Amino acid sequence: MYSTYKKIGDSLPWFAEKDGIRAAAIIPIVSKQRIIGCFTIASHSRDEVPSFSRKSVETIVAQMGNAISRLEAEAELHEAHSALENRIADRTHELTRINRDLKTEIAERKRTQKKLLKNERFLQTVFDGIQDGISILDTDLVIQRANAWMVKRYKEHDPFIGKHCYEVYQLRESTCPWCPSVVTLKTGKQHHAIVPYPSKQNPERWLDVSAYPLCNTSGKVTGIIEHVRDITVRRKAEEEQNRLYSELKASQAQMVRLERLKTMGMMAAGVAHELNNPMMGMINFAQYCMKHTPPNDRIYPVLYDLERETRRCIDIVQRLLTFAHAAKPKKEILQKEDISQVL
């Protein structure tokens, strides 16, 4: 803050001389360390302004600067307040919009979650309604999920989620050598096998196990769907069918043999009938010759052998006839007995 006192001269403003001003004091008005105006005191005399008057005027001018600073600060504060209110209003509007969008998104997510839960329940109902065993395995053959059929079948091992399939289903400490899931993990293709249960050494039941790969978008196998079907009844039926088929084949072979024997018997009967008459003639001729030949004749033994061998041939022919025809039951007269004595 400073003061300037000038005498009448050329440096005074033009209006000063016109108005008869002989001296003037100019005091700057300072606000926030910058000059924003000035306060001028004019006098018609050349007398110097007393120091106490200058101090009073300087104080008034300083207060004026402070007042102007306060007014400017209040204006700036009001402007900042208005800007803040505008920002708050804008932010409130934006937050209202975000809140509305968030409520809409939450409602949509609730609807989606409800729909997903409904679909999950439906899929679980379908999953449990399958009357075969379904298991979901990871790449380490750990059971991730199983339907009601599997839970009921292996209830003595429940809960078995998180356990290896061979521990629960086959009571083994390592993978089964016939496991189709291992093959599917290696090849990425469906595979199946007939598996004994509970063990190969004691197969009380038989299971048809099929393994299907679960793949991600890149085609990498990330899990296994294992389908289990109890085929014990079918297996027993097949075994019974094979047994009956074997018995049928044996019966057919026996029937063929019997048919052949029957054919041979019929042929033998025909041959026997054809041979029987000539051989009877040979016997009659041998007996006739023996009757008219002395026993000491050298021909007599020949005739005797002829009769004997011919009779043997007739006996063979008779056996052929017996073989060709079923033997008829023999009728015998029983001896009469007194029933009272027998009792």
Side-chain angles (χ1 to χ4, degrees), residues 163 242 257 293 340:
K163 299 179 182 178
N242 293 333
R257 287 194 298 270
T293 303
S340 60

Side-chain angles (χ1 to χ4, degrees), residues 138-271:
D138 62 11
T139 54
D140 295 325
L141 302 180
V142 175
I143 303 172
Q144 302 296 318
R145 194 169 182 178
N147 68 344
W149 191 94
M150 296 297 287
V151 174
K152 182 179 179 181
R153 173 69 64 179
Y154 302 97
K155 60 183 177 181
E156 64 273 12
H157 305 294
D158 191 42
F160 47 81
I161 303 301
K163 299 179 182 178
H164 291 92
C165 60
Y166 49 81
E167 294 177 347
V168 177
Y169 302 152
Q170 290 293 318
L171 306 178
R172 295 173 58 92
E173 297 180 355
S174 59
T175 56
C176 306
W178 56 79
C179 181
S181 298
V182 175
V183 180
T184 299
L185 285 174
K186 292 180 180 179
T187 62
K189 297 180 180 179
Q190 182 267 343
H191 191 73
H192 80 96
I194 305 298
V195 178
Y197 175 81
S199 63
K200 187 176 181 181
Q201 293 73 20
N202 185 26
E204 297 178 0
R205 309 187 72 86
W206 293 90
L207 304 176
D208 186 357
V209 182
S210 298
Y212 303 89
L214 279 174
C215 301
N216 56 16
T217 54
S218 62
K220 183 180 178 181
V221 178
T222 58
I224 296 293
I225 301 175
E226 198 171 75
H227 174 256
V228 179
R229 176 176 296 175
D230 192 338
I231 60 169
T232 304
V233 176
R234 191 184 77 185
R235 182 90 174 191
K236 291 182 177 179
E238 290 177 353
E239 292 176 354
E240 182 66 16
Q241 182 181 4
N242 293 333
R243 185 184 66 80
L244 294 176
Y245 181 71
S246 300
E247 292 180 357
L248 179 61
K249 288 184 67 176
S251 299
Q252 288 178 344
Q254 185 176 3
M255 289 178 65
V256 170
R257 287 194 298 270
L258 292 175
E259 189 67 26
R260 289 179 180 176
L261 291 175
K262 182 179 178 181
T263 303
M264 291 177 61
M266 293 175 64
M267 292 177 61
V271 172

Side-chain angles (χ1 to χ4, degrees), residues 1-5 25-30 39-41 48-66:
M1 183 180 292
Y2 62 92
S3 301
T4 302
Y5 303 96
I26 301 174
I27 303 172
I29 301 174
V30 179
F39 185 82
T40 304
I41 300 176
E48 187 176 354
V49 179
S51 60
F52 69 89
S53 298
R54 293 201 308 269
K55 293 292 184 183
S56 298
V57 171
E58 290 174 356
T59 301
I60 293 172
V61 172
Q63 293 178 352
M64 290 175 59
N66 293 334

